[in-house]
Amino acid sequence: MLNGIRIIEFEALGPAPFAGMLLADLGAEVIAVHRKTASNTPGKAAQNLLDRGKRSIALDLKTPEDLAVAKALMATADGVTEGLRPGVMERLGLGPEQAMSLNPALVYGRMTGWGQSGPRALQAGHDLNYLGLTGALFYAGLPGETPAVPPTMLGDIGAGALYLAVGMLSGILNARFTGKGCVVDAAIVDGASHMMALLLSMGQQFSTTQRGASLLDGPHWSRCYTCADGRHVSLQCLEPKFYAQFLDRMGLADDPGLKDQFDQSQWPDQIGRLTQIFLQKPRDHWTALFHESDACLGPVLSPHEAQHDPHITARNIWDQGAPMPAPRFDGQMHAPGPIPERDSDGPAIRKELQKKGLL
């Protein structure tokens, strides 16, 4: 889908290279500019899953020769992405102003946690800190318990990488029409706050002052339960018709203590009741009991187990321990490109730039 689009990705952690992998999976030519280290010898360097489908060149941006290569790459690109603290690329002579002087249509994507401005812009931080400051972490965990630590996917990927990718594509579309590039300020605090619009759209069903009092983080029918074997099931039968199916499968359809689904005063007792019931049988018993049911109950699988689940395998979501590209177009899945060794494309990329008269 993105054939013909070239992205130059300067090496960073987490969300920036994930966004690059996503764009590469969708067909863009993504050139990863890796740091030049002793491990950059082709054939010996470690491979990183987030580099799949990309080309790799290793540069020391503090040397005039390699800095010239970086600038030449920028001149040929539709977009650039970087994930360093504000000001670092400017000090290298590769900030947006310098880059756009070489390529006015360039879309310059900046991936950070705090953003390019604000009191915390130059501070260190991680996924959990960004989610905590935005209010998103408020809903993680159960009533009376310390907020849980969500997978780093929520902030780094959901609120970060995906917003960077959307921003890059939007900027490139606009540049195709106007000939003018832009700077994409993709901050995890922005993305996390924006994603909360879904919860806020539900109005009074989501409390903004009390943990565990909202529609999805307090009820007995919206949580995970421990089973007899120490493994877990997930339950979230929000709609009354699905809740009715859940009670029926559990043999609890006539239980007066579980009849009222939305009475918050009964939730603690109902939670206690279900907790004891689920502890009586192993996870796979409950999974089998709800097979082909709309009761919205399923197993909590480990990543290894997930790769062998019948639904996951039927859709070929995993291949040799790695997830396949998403989304699909016209129902078809496209195979990802290979994972390059660091600097394996360096000589070829330099020759290409020389042929274009840029080096």
Side-chain angles (χ1 to χ4, degrees), residues 117-188:
S117 61
R120 294 179 181 265
L122 298 179
Q123 278 187 293
H126 285 294
D127 194 283
L128 201 62
N129 309 124
Y130 311 136
L131 295 177
L133 194 72
T134 60
L137 195 62
F138 182 79
Y139 297 103
L142 301 176
E145 297 182 5
T146 301
V149 180
T152 190
M153 297 182 296
L154 178 60
D156 279 357
I157 307 306
L162 299 186
Y163 277 84
L164 175 61
V166 170
M168 293 301 295
L169 295 178
S170 300
I172 290 170
L173 278 173
N174 185 65
R176 293 284 171 95
F177 288 116
T178 66
K180 184 178 180 180
C182 64
V183 176
V184 179
D185 181 0
I188 295 174

Side-chain angles (χ1 to χ4, degrees), residues 108-329:
Y108 197 108
R110 319 199 77 172
M111 181 73 255
T112 60
W114 304 117
Q116 297 297 312
S117 61
R120 294 179 181 265
L122 298 179
Q123 278 187 293
H126 285 294
D127 194 283
L128 201 62
N129 309 124
Y130 311 136
L131 295 177
L133 194 72
T134 60
L137 195 62
F138 182 79
Y139 297 103
L142 301 176
E145 297 182 5
T146 301
V149 180
T152 190
M153 297 182 296
L154 178 60
D156 279 357
I157 307 306
L162 299 186
Y163 277 84
L164 175 61
V166 170
M168 293 301 295
L169 295 178
S170 300
I172 290 170
L173 278 173
N174 185 65
R176 293 284 171 95
F177 288 116
T178 66
K180 184 178 180 180
C182 64
V183 176
V184 179
D185 181 0
I188 295 174
V189 289
D190 294 356
S193 299
H194 186 256
M195 290 196 298
M196 287 179 64
L198 174 64
L199 305 184
L200 298 177
S201 71
M202 302 179 77
Q204 295 182 350
Q205 294 174 323
F206 273 83
S207 171
T208 58
T209 59
Q210 183 180 353
R211 293 185 66 243
S214 299
L215 188 64
L216 298 181
D217 66 350
H220 56 295
W221 45 263
S222 180
R223 61 182 48 227
C224 294
Y225 287 97
T226 303
C227 305
D229 54 0
R231 295 189 288 183
H232 304 87
V233 292
S234 65
L235 173 66
Q236 197 165 65
C237 45
L238 167 62
E239 294 82 356
K241 63 180 180 179
F242 298 152
Y243 182 66
Q245 289 190 44
F246 165 70
L247 294 180
D248 184 62
R249 287 281 177 118
M250 293 288 282
L252 300 170
D254 298 322
D255 191 313
L258 293 167
K259 181 178 180 181
D260 293 323
Q261 179 181 359
F262 297 105
D263 184 351
Q264 291 191 22
S265 67
Q266 297 189 47
W267 286 352
D269 290 337
Q270 292 167 333
I271 290 168
R273 180 80 186 284
L274 292 181
T275 297
Q276 294 303 313
I277 292 175
F278 279 112
L279 281 171
Q280 295 173 11
K281 300 288 184 179
R283 184 194 68 187
D284 291 348
H285 165 84
W286 300 116
T287 301
L289 180 64
F290 285 90
H291 180 61
E292 295 185 348
S293 164
D294 282 340
C296 304
L297 183 144
V300 177
L301 302 178
S302 70
H304 175 74
E305 289 177 308
Q307 295 179 43
H308 302 284
D309 175 81
H311 181 79
I312 301 298
T313 56
R315 288 183 61 80
N316 299 313
I317 293 174
W318 289 82
D319 180 54
Q320 298 182 0
M324 292 290 282
R328 306 180 188 202
F329 298 93

Side-chain angles (χ1 to χ4, degrees), residues 10-40:
F10 287 89
E11 184 174 8
L13 297 175
F18 185 96
M21 182 193 74
L22 173 60
L23 296 174
D25 284 346
L26 295 176
E29 179 193 10
V30 179
I31 298 177
V33 177
H34 288 121
R35 296 180 181 86
K36 186 177 286 187
T37 66
S39 65
N40 285 139

Side-chain angles (χ1 to χ4, degrees), residues 10-88:
F10 287 89
E11 184 174 8
L13 297 175
F18 185 96
M21 182 193 74
L22 173 60
L23 296 174
D25 284 346
L26 295 176
E29 179 193 10
V30 179
I31 298 177
V33 177
H34 288 121
R35 296 180 181 86
K36 186 177 286 187
T37 66
S39 65
N40 285 139
T41 305
K44 298 182 180 180
Q47 293 174 302
N48 188 327
L49 173 60
L50 297 186
D51 285 335
R52 76 176 183 192
K54 303 175 186 177
R55 305 173 73 195
S56 172
I57 183 172
L59 300 176
D60 180 353
L61 298 177
K62 294 182 179 180
T63 66
E65 296 80 10
D66 284 2
L67 186 62
V69 174
K71 290 181 178 180
L73 286 171
M74 286 180 161
T76 68
D78 296 286
V80 165
T81 63
E82 57 96 359
L84 304 174
R85 291 200 201 188
V88 172

